[in-house]
Amino acid sequence: MRLSGIDRALAALACLAGLLGVALSAAAAHIPGADSLKTAAQFLLFHAPAILALIGLGAAGLARPTLARAAAGLLVVGLILFCGDLAVRTWLQHPLFPMAAPTGGFALMGGWLFGMLCALVPGRQRT
């Protein structure tokens, strides 16, 4: 089982999400009223292993690699927009851009939908 460059990049981004989730959890513990940072941290920490699992399923042939990459990519984009918007709102007191969080939320839901397709559409049999 070899990971493609895209798979490696997505795995690295998943690990970055985990790292940022821990960092935001720590920051939220020290900033009074930082509920948005807590939410962002939770989203990052919940989705990081899901991204890694999707990449692993695709690389192992248990899911279609293109579906797994699409699902993981949507989760990454969703995290950037949703969690990025929450963090920017907390620290800079303005949104990342209008509708960033809802757009990120829809991307996250799309990622989970594609993840469901990974489970329903069998991987290609290797001969």
Side-chain angles (χ1 to χ4, degrees):
M1 168 174 61
R2 281 184 61 105
L3 292 178
S4 72
I6 293 170
D7 293 338
R8 289 180 183 283
L10 288 167
L13 289 169
C15 292
L16 177 61
L19 180 150
L20 292 173
V22 172
L24 289 183
S25 292
H30 297 287
I31 300 171
D35 291 334
S36 291
L37 283 186
K38 272 187 206 172
T39 300
Q42 290 171 343
F43 268 70
L44 289 162
L45 290 170
F46 295 156
H47 288 85
I51 295 165
L52 291 172
L54 286 163
I55 294 307
L57 288 170
L62 299 172
R64 301 271 173 125
T66 52
L67 276 178
R69 286 182 194 120
L74 281 167
L75 292 178
V76 167
V77 169
L79 289 175
I80 291 168
L81 294 175
F82 184 79
C83 298
D85 188 61
L86 292 180
V88 167
R89 284 175 187 268
T90 298
W91 282 314
L92 303 179
Q93 304 300 310
H94 64 77
L96 187 59
F97 61 84
M99 300 298 289
T103 302
F106 277 108
L108 288 167
M109 288 186 274
W112 285 106
L113 179 63
F114 272 70
M116 181 180 71
L117 291 175
C118 285
L120 296 175
V121 176
R124 295 184 186 202
Q125 298 299 321
R126 296 181 186 187
T127 55

